[in-house]
Amino acid sequence: MTPGDVQTFTAARVRADFLRFFEEQGHRVVPSAPVFPQDDPTLLFTNAGMNQFKDVFLGTGSRPYTRAVDTQKCIRVQGKHNDLEEVGRDTYHHTFFEMLGNWSFGDYFKEEAITWSWRLLTEVWGLPKDRLWVTVFAGDESDGLPADEEAERIWREKTDIDPSHVLRFDREDNFWEMGETGPCGPCTEIHIDRGGPGSDPADGADPQIGVNAGNERFIELWNNVFIQFNRQDDGSLVELPAKHVDTGMGFERVLAVLQGKSSNYDTDLFQPIFRTIERLTGKTYTASEAGEEDIAFRVCADHVRAFTAAVADGVTPSNEGRGYVLRRLVRRASRYGLQSLDATEPFLHAVVPTVVDVLGEAFPEMKARLEHVQLVMRTEEEAFRKTLDRGIVQFEKLAKATSGDVIEGKAAYELYATYGFPQDLVELMARERGLGVDLAGWEAARRAHSEVSKSEGRFKQILTGEELAGLPGTETVYHDQSGGCTRCDAEVLRFFAGSDDRPARLVLDRTAFYAEAGGQIGDTGFIEAQDGTFRFQVTDTKKIGDVHVHFGVTDGEPREGVGALCLVDGERRDAIRANHTATHLLHQALKEALGDHVAQAGSYVGPDRLRFDISHPSGVADAEIHAVENAVNARIARNSAVVTTIESPEDAKARGATALFGEKYGEEVRVVSIDDDGGARQPWSLELCGGTHVERTGQIGPFVIVAERAVAAGVRRLEALTAQGAVAAFQEQRRLLKELSVHLKTAPEELPARVQQLQKQVKDAKKQKKSAAGDHVAAAFKTAKDTLQPLAGVHAGALDVPELDRDGVRQLGDRLKGAMPNLAVVLFGRGTPGDDGSGVPFVALCQGSALEKGLQAGVLASVVKGCLGGGGGGRPESAQGQGERADAVPAAIQALGEHFGEQLG
C-alpha cells in the first residue's frame, strides 16, 4: 500500500469492498442480525457473526443459500478479554464492534476460504505479503487429531505467502468449539506484523515468537474456522456429513491497519464522534493511551455506539439482563464525562446523531430510530445524575460510619453495584478523607455479585446441542386451514423425560401446535399415541431453529417412531387469534392517532389479554386512547377480511408492509393485510407476521384498552381486552358506577360533580382543622411555658395535650425547643390518622444542659412505653412513638416526674 492508498480506505469503502468481493464469489449478502439474539436465550447479546447461523451449524435450521456474507453488529461486555472496565484504557478494546464474515453451509471448504482470504487482503487491499503470518492447527493427541496438514499445504501451495510464515499452534489457539458439545473444527488465523521497535531481525528480533503472544505488534486480522466435527457428550469427535466454513474479521481492527493507524480509535469510525465530544465539552482528544481525558473520550464514543445499536434494535434499559448492561454503559460514560471532561450537564444524547451519521448507511435501523435513541439516552443520563448524587450521600454516610482508617470492601462495592461508582472513584473519594479501601473485600464482593448475576442470567436451553443432534426441522400445519389447523397426524422423533427443574419435552416430525414467537404465546392441548401407549398434555410450545418442542406432562412414555395425533386447544387458539389480529389493528390506530414515529417495542398475545409496547415520548392522553379504541372498533364492525400472502421481505416492504425492528426474516414471509379492497388502495393495516389470525375482523368482538403506562424512557405500554374479556370489563365498570351512585346518592352521570363537591368539602374541612390546630398549638405553647419550671437549670416536665394530634405535638415540641435552650420534655397527644382517637402519639425532647446531666429522649420514650404500651424510640436528643392506652397517661406523667427528679435532683 502507498500513502495515497491509505487515504482512500474509508470505513464505507472497506465495508463495501468486503461485501462486494464475496458477492462476486457467489455469496448472498445478508443484513446484520439484531445485536440481541431473539431466538437464542443463551446469549445476552450477539457476540459473533455466526450467531445468526447457529441453527444451521446445529442442523436445526436451513437457508435457501449455501454461501453468505455480511457485516454483523456485535456487543461484548463480558468474558476473559471483554471486561467492561477495561474499555477505553487501551486503543483496541470495544463493547460494540462489527464482524465481517463469510460462510459456507456444506458448500466450499478450506481451499476456497484460504485463497479468497489471501486475495482480498493482498490483491484487493494490497497489504504487504511479507508482513502477513498465518497459523494452522498443530493437532491434539488427546482428541486423536493430527495436524491440519491440508490447510498448511493450501497456504504453501495455493498462495504466495512466505512458507516460513506458516506456523502451527495447539488447540487453545487454533481449534474452535461452539460449546462443550456440538459443531467444532480447526481454524487458520491470519496475523499482521505492524512493525515498530525491535521488529528488525538484524537487531535480534524473532518475529515468530510474536504471533499469538498477546502483544500489540502482531495482531490477528482474520479467523477462518473449518467446522468438520461434532463433539459428542462423552468428549469424542465425529466427522460431520456436511462441512461448513465460518470466518470472522474485526472491522475496526482491519480498518486501522488499512488506514495506517496504530489505534482503532484513530480511524474515521471514531474521529467524527470525537469532534462532536470536543465541541460539547470544550476538551481536545490527543490520542494518548494513558491520559484521563483521552480515556474518557474513548469510553464515551464506544459506549454511545453500543447504546445506539442496542436501543435501535429494540433493547430497553432496565435493572436486569441486557437492559442492565445498557444502563451500566450509560452510567460509566456519563461518569467519565463528568469526572474527566467536566461535563456537568447530560451530553451523551447529543453524540447519538454523529454515531448515526457514521453507521446509519450500513445499519438503516439506526437512522429510523434516531429520535427514540436520543430520548432514551437523555432520560438515562438524567436519571444517573440523580443516582450519582444519592451515591455521594451514601459514600459520606459510609465514610462517617468507618471506625478505623479502611472502608469495608463489601460496603464499598455496593457503591459500584447500586450507584455505578467504580473502584478507582471510590478509592479517590476515600483518599480525600484520609481513608483506604479494603480491596480484598471489594474483590470478594465483586466475585460474589458476578456469580449471582451469572445464575440470574442463566437461561434454560430448550434443547442442548446433544439433544438437538440429528433432529430435522419440524413440518408445521397450523396455517394450513381457514382458522388454522388444530389437529394432525405425526410421528414421535424424540422424547426427553421431565426433571425437577423442567417439564418433559416431546419432538415430532410435524405439528399443529404454534410455537411461541413474535409475542404470541405457544399453543397447548394434547398429543396422543395412535396405539394408545401415551397421552402427552402440552402446556407450552417453543422452538429452537426449525425444531418445534412441546413441553408438558405425560401419561405413558412416548417412543420414537410411534404414530401420534396432535390435538390443539381450539377455543384457546381462537382467543389468541382474535387478540393477535387486534394488535395489528391497534398498531395502525396508534400510528394514526399519535404519528408515524410509533413503532412496536414489544408485545404479548395470549388468550386472556394483549399487551402492546410502543416507542412514544409521552403518555397517551385519554382523548387519544378514545380515538384509538374508536378506530379499532370501527374496523372490527366493518368485518374486514384478514388476508395472508407469502412474499419476499423486499416485495412486502415495497408494498409498505411494516417490519418489526430486531425481527429476523427468511427468504419468504407471511404478510397479513386488513381491509384490503384488492389493490385499488393501500390496505389499512399491512404487516409481516408469522402468527395466527382470524379470517375477518368481526370475529374479534368488542375491543377496549384497560391500561396505559410507561415501562421505560420513550416506551409506553397499552393493555387491552377483546371479546368476552372486553364485555366483562364493561360490566365491571357498570357495577362500580352503580355502587358509587348508591353510596353517594346521585345518578351515574352526576358522579363527577358530586365527587368534586366532596373534594371541596374535604379541602375546606382540612383548612378549618389546620387553623384550629394552629390555635390549639398556640394555646398549648402558652400553657407549657407557664407549666415547665426550671429544675437544676433545666425546663423539665411532661404535658398531656389531648387536643393535639401527632403533627400538633411535633409542632409544639419545635416551638418549645426554640424557646427553651435547656429542655427535657415529653408531650402527649391523641389519635392517629383514621383511628378512633384512643391512641396516644408522643414526642420526647432533650437539649442543652439536659443532655449534659444524663437525660436522653430515647430513655424517656422507654419510660412512656412501659406505661402506655405500643412502640417508640429515637436518639438522645429526640424520640417519638405511639402509645396504646390513653387511660395510662397520668401514670406515665408520674413515672416521668420521678425520672426527672432522679436525674436532676
Side-chain angles (χ1 to χ4, degrees):
M1 292 188 303
T2 67
D5 293 329
V6 169
Q7 297 297 322
T8 65
F9 280 117
T10 63
R13 174 195 160 176
V14 172
R15 192 187 286 114
D17 281 350
F18 184 85
L19 297 176
R20 183 171 55 251
F21 177 85
F22 282 101
E23 187 176 25
E24 291 170 352
Q25 317 311 319
H27 290 63
R28 174 76 61 86
V29 178
V30 298
S32 169
V35 292
F36 66 103
Q38 294 183 326
D39 52 0
D40 187 352
T42 65
L43 288 172
L44 274 180
F45 290 102
T46 299
N47 59 13
M50 59 76 60
N51 289 160
Q52 70 165 307
F53 302 114
K54 184 175 178 180
D55 59 322
V56 178
F57 297 138
L58 288 171
T60 62
S62 61
R63 300 292 187 274
Y65 45 83
T66 58
R67 301 180 181 187
V69 61
D70 79 345
T71 177
Q72 172 64 49
K73 298 173 295 184
C74 299
I75 292 180
R76 290 182 184 173
V77 290
Q78 55 193 11
K80 180 179 178 182
H81 301 297
N82 295 285
D83 186 346
L84 177 60
E85 293 301 325
E86 293 304 312
V87 173
R89 295 189 174 278
D90 56 35
T91 62
Y92 51 89
H93 273 107
H94 306 286
T95 55
F96 171 81
F97 62 96
E98 293 179 56
M99 184 67 78
L100 303 173
N102 59 286
W103 290 269
S104 166
F105 308 125
D107 190 343
Y108 64 83
F109 203 45
K110 295 181 183 180
E111 181 170 335
E112 293 90 340
I114 289 172
T115 56
W116 286 337
S117 299
W118 186 251
R119 277 177 52 196
L120 177 63
L121 291 176
T122 62
E123 296 178 19
V124 177
W125 287 338
L127 288 177
K129 299 174 183 178
D130 61 338
R131 291 283 188 180
L132 295 175
W133 295 71
V134 300
T135 63
V136 296
F137 179 50
D140 187 86
E141 187 174 334
S142 63
D143 275 332
L145 292 177
D148 190 355
E149 295 180 352
E150 180 185 5
E152 187 175 52
R153 177 184 56 76
I154 293 169
W155 277 114
R156 295 178 185 275
E157 297 179 3
K158 301 296 182 179
T159 76
D160 56 351
I161 191 173
D162 181 341
S164 68
H165 285 203
V166 181
L167 310 175
R168 291 186 179 187
F169 282 87
D170 61 19
R171 63 180 293 174
E172 182 177 351
D173 290 306
N174 279 81
F175 194 88
W176 178 89
E177 303 201 47
M178 183 179 290
E180 292 183 4
T181 61
C184 55
C187 62
T188 181
E189 296 177 342
I190 306 172
H191 298 248
I192 189 167
D193 179 357
R194 297 196 294 179
S199 61
D200 188 348
D203 298 330
D206 182 1
Q208 294 192 32
I209 67 172
V211 176
N212 280 337
N215 57 71
E216 293 188 34
R217 176 183 158 190
F218 287 87
I219 62 169
E220 175 196 333
L221 287 181
W222 203 342
N223 188 13
N224 282 250
V225 179
F226 306 120
I227 301 176
Q228 60 188 101
F229 301 106
N230 191 55
R231 175 79 68 181
Q232 303 297 303
D233 191 47
D234 61 2
S236 62
L237 294 174
V238 176
E239 285 264 355
L240 288 170
K243 297 177 173 58
H244 311 297
V245 173
D246 164 22
T247 87
M249 175 162 52
F251 179 50
E252 290 78 6
R253 181 174 292 184
V254 74
L255 184 64
V257 170
L258 291 172
Q259 293 185 357
K261 307 295 185 182
S262 60
S263 164
N264 296 354
Y265 289 94
D266 291 341
T267 67
D268 60 336
L269 283 175
F270 289 92
Q271 288 300 304
I273 303 173
F274 289 164
R275 300 293 84 79
T276 296
I277 296 174
E278 288 174 341
R279 176 176 54 81
L280 293 169
T281 64
K283 304 293 184 179
T284 302
Y285 183 71
T286 64
S288 72
E289 185 165 341
E292 282 301 316
E293 287 186 3
D294 284 355
I295 290 173
F297 267 87
R298 291 191 289 269
V299 167
C300 292
D302 173 272
H303 291 5
V304 175
R305 277 166 41 102
F307 187 93
T308 299
V311 175
D313 275 348
V315 183
T316 299
S318 66
N319 285 327
E320 60 184 17
R322 57 178 66 99
Y324 181 59
V325 172
L326 286 196
R327 186 155 284 167
R328 285 179 62 198
L329 290 176
V330 175
R331 290 179 172 185
R332 185 167 185 258
S334 182
R335 192 259 306 169
Y336 264 100
L338 178 64
Q339 187 179 346
S340 301
L341 301 178
D342 300 327
T344 57
E345 296 295 326
F347 74 101
L348 298 174
H349 64 278
V351 181
V352 172
T354 305
V355 170
V356 173
D357 285 344
V358 174
L359 298 174
E361 289 300 320
F363 309 110
E365 61 275 10
M366 295 186 186
K367 280 187 173 182
R369 306 206 77 188
L370 170 59
E371 291 184 4
H372 176 67
V373 175
Q374 278 193 282
L375 173 65
V376 177
M377 175 67 89
R378 176 153 199 149
T379 303
E380 285 295 309
E381 284 187 274
E382 291 172 346
F384 177 59
R385 294 300 174 108
K386 295 175 183 177
T387 300
L388 200 62
D389 291 341
R390 292 196 298 270
I392 291 172
V393 171
Q394 290 302 118
F395 175 83
E396 295 295 346
K397 290 181 179 179
L398 181 59
K400 288 179 181 178
T402 300
S403 57
D405 57 2
V406 176
I407 297 176
E408 194 262 325
K410 181 179 180 182
Y413 183 79
E414 284 303 311
L415 289 171
Y416 171 73
T418 305
Y419 301 101
F421 283 32
Q423 181 178 322
D424 59 350
L425 180 59
V426 176
E427 287 185 272
L428 174 63
M429 295 171 71
R431 283 197 301 271
E432 291 172 349
R433 290 155 184 77
L435 299 171
V437 177
D438 169 22
L439 298 183
W442 174 291
E443 179 59 22
R446 186 196 66 77
R447 287 196 301 268
H449 185 272
S450 177
E451 287 303 313
V452 170
S453 298
K454 284 179 182 177
S455 64
E456 290 176 347
R458 242 175 231 132
F459 298 94
K460 288 288 183 184
Q461 293 189 54
I462 296 172
L463 292 176
T464 65
E466 180 189 6
E467 291 170 336
L468 274 169
L471 281 175
T474 308
E475 178 188 351
T476 59
V477 300
Y478 43 74
H479 286 307
D480 283 1
Q481 299 174 8
S482 175
C485 180
T486 57
R487 59 186 294 150
C488 72
D489 292 330
E491 180 181 311
V492 174
L493 294 183
R494 205 159 295 175
F495 171 71
F496 306 98
S499 60
D500 292 338
D501 60 348
R502 66 164 55 194
R505 292 156 294 152
L506 179 61
V507 180
L508 310 174
D509 66 333
R510 65 199 302 257
T511 185
F513 288 82
Y514 180 85
E516 179 182 335
Q520 179 176 329
I521 65 173
D523 280 335
T524 62
F526 290 92
I527 299 172
E528 299 177 345
Q530 294 180 356
D531 63 2
T533 56
F534 74 86
R535 190 169 194 258
F536 188 93
Q537 182 180 358
V538 180
T539 57
D540 197 5
T541 309
K542 298 180 183 294
K543 65 179 179 179
I544 176 169
D546 294 333
V547 177
H548 283 53
V549 183
H550 308 87
F551 291 75
V553 292
T554 188
D555 179 10
E557 182 172 331
R559 301 187 316 278
E560 292 184 19
V562 171
L565 177 64
C566 294
L567 300 168
V568 177
D569 184 336
E571 185 175 337
R572 180 177 181 272
R573 163 83 70 78
D574 287 344
I576 293 173
R577 291 195 301 135
N579 282 339
H580 200 152
T581 306
T583 64
H584 286 223
L585 297 177
L586 175 60
H587 193 181
Q588 183 59 32
L590 286 165
K591 285 179 176 289
E592 291 189 351
L594 305 179
D596 288 337
H597 67 278
V598 168
Q600 181 175 340
S603 68
Y604 166 85
V605 180
D608 55 334
R609 61 191 172 89
L610 65 92
R611 186 183 70 223
F612 200 70
D613 296 346
I614 59 170
S615 56
H616 187 60
S618 58
V620 184
D622 288 343
E624 293 168 329
I625 287 178
H626 293 161
V628 169
E629 287 178 328
N630 289 339
V632 172
N633 282 301
R635 295 291 163 173
I636 291 172
R638 292 177 65 165
N639 198 26
S640 302
V642 180
V643 179
T644 301
T645 55
I646 308 297
E647 306 175 28
S648 71
E650 294 74 23
D651 289 345
K653 292 175 184 177
R655 286 211 294 139
T658 299
L660 302 185
F661 287 108
E663 192 72 30
K664 186 169 67 177
Y665 297 105
E667 289 294 298
E668 291 186 333
V669 294
R670 299 181 69 84
V671 182
V672 178
S673 63
I674 301 174
D675 203 5
D676 187 346
D677 66 0
R681 57 174 171 77
Q682 180 76 5
W684 191 70
S685 171
L686 188 65
E687 294 193 23
L688 277 63
C689 181
T692 58
H693 290 271
V694 296
E695 294 79 50
R696 305 195 74 87
T697 57
Q699 295 171 259
I700 297 172
F703 169 91
V704 60
I705 296 171
V706 294
E708 188 277 339
R709 62 187 177 90
V711 291
V715 179
R716 308 298 300 185
R717 171 167 293 171
L718 294 97
E719 297 184 27
L721 302 172
T722 63
Q724 190 55 44
V727 172
F730 292 141
Q731 292 173 335
E732 176 63 10
Q733 292 293 321
R734 184 172 61 192
R735 184 192 68 78
L736 289 173
L737 278 174
K738 186 174 182 180
E739 187 175 329
L740 283 172
S741 297
V742 170
H743 286 304
L744 298 178
K745 297 181 175 61
T746 188
E749 63 270 17
E750 296 173 358
L751 279 172
R754 178 62 174 145
V755 170
Q756 289 177 353
Q757 182 186 37
L758 291 173
Q759 287 175 328
K760 185 176 183 303
Q761 291 175 2
V762 170
K763 186 177 181 181
D764 291 343
K766 286 182 177 179
K767 284 183 179 179
Q768 293 174 4
K769 183 178 179 181
K770 185 175 182 180
S771 177
D775 294 340
H776 290 320
V777 171
F781 177 63
K782 184 176 183 304
T783 300
K785 286 200 300 182
D786 296 338
T787 304
L788 295 174
Q789 298 299 317
L791 179 61
V794 176
H795 286 88
L799 299 175
D800 186 18
V801 279
E803 65 273 19
L804 299 184
D805 60 9
R806 181 186 300 276
D807 289 337
V809 292
R810 287 174 179 168
Q811 293 175 32
L812 177 58
D814 289 340
R815 296 187 67 174
L816 289 173
K817 284 169 65 178
M820 300 174 179
N822 303 305
L823 176 68
V825 68
V826 178
L827 306 172
F828 297 96
R830 290 295 186 278
T832 57
D835 75 357
D836 59 4
S838 62
V840 186
F842 64 88
V843 170
L845 303 168
C846 292
Q847 65 180 15
S849 60
L851 293 169
E852 296 172 2
K853 295 179 182 296
L855 286 169
Q856 295 187 20
V859 175
L860 299 181
S862 297
V863 173
V864 173
K865 285 192 297 181
C867 299
L868 305 185
R875 304 183 305 275
E877 65 274 12
S878 176
Q880 60 183 343
Q882 178 75 26
E884 296 174 341
R885 297 174 49 213
D887 61 338
V889 170
I893 292 176
Q894 180 178 346
L896 289 167
E898 294 172 358
H899 183 76
F900 290 140
E902 293 172 1
Q903 294 294 318
L904 302 174

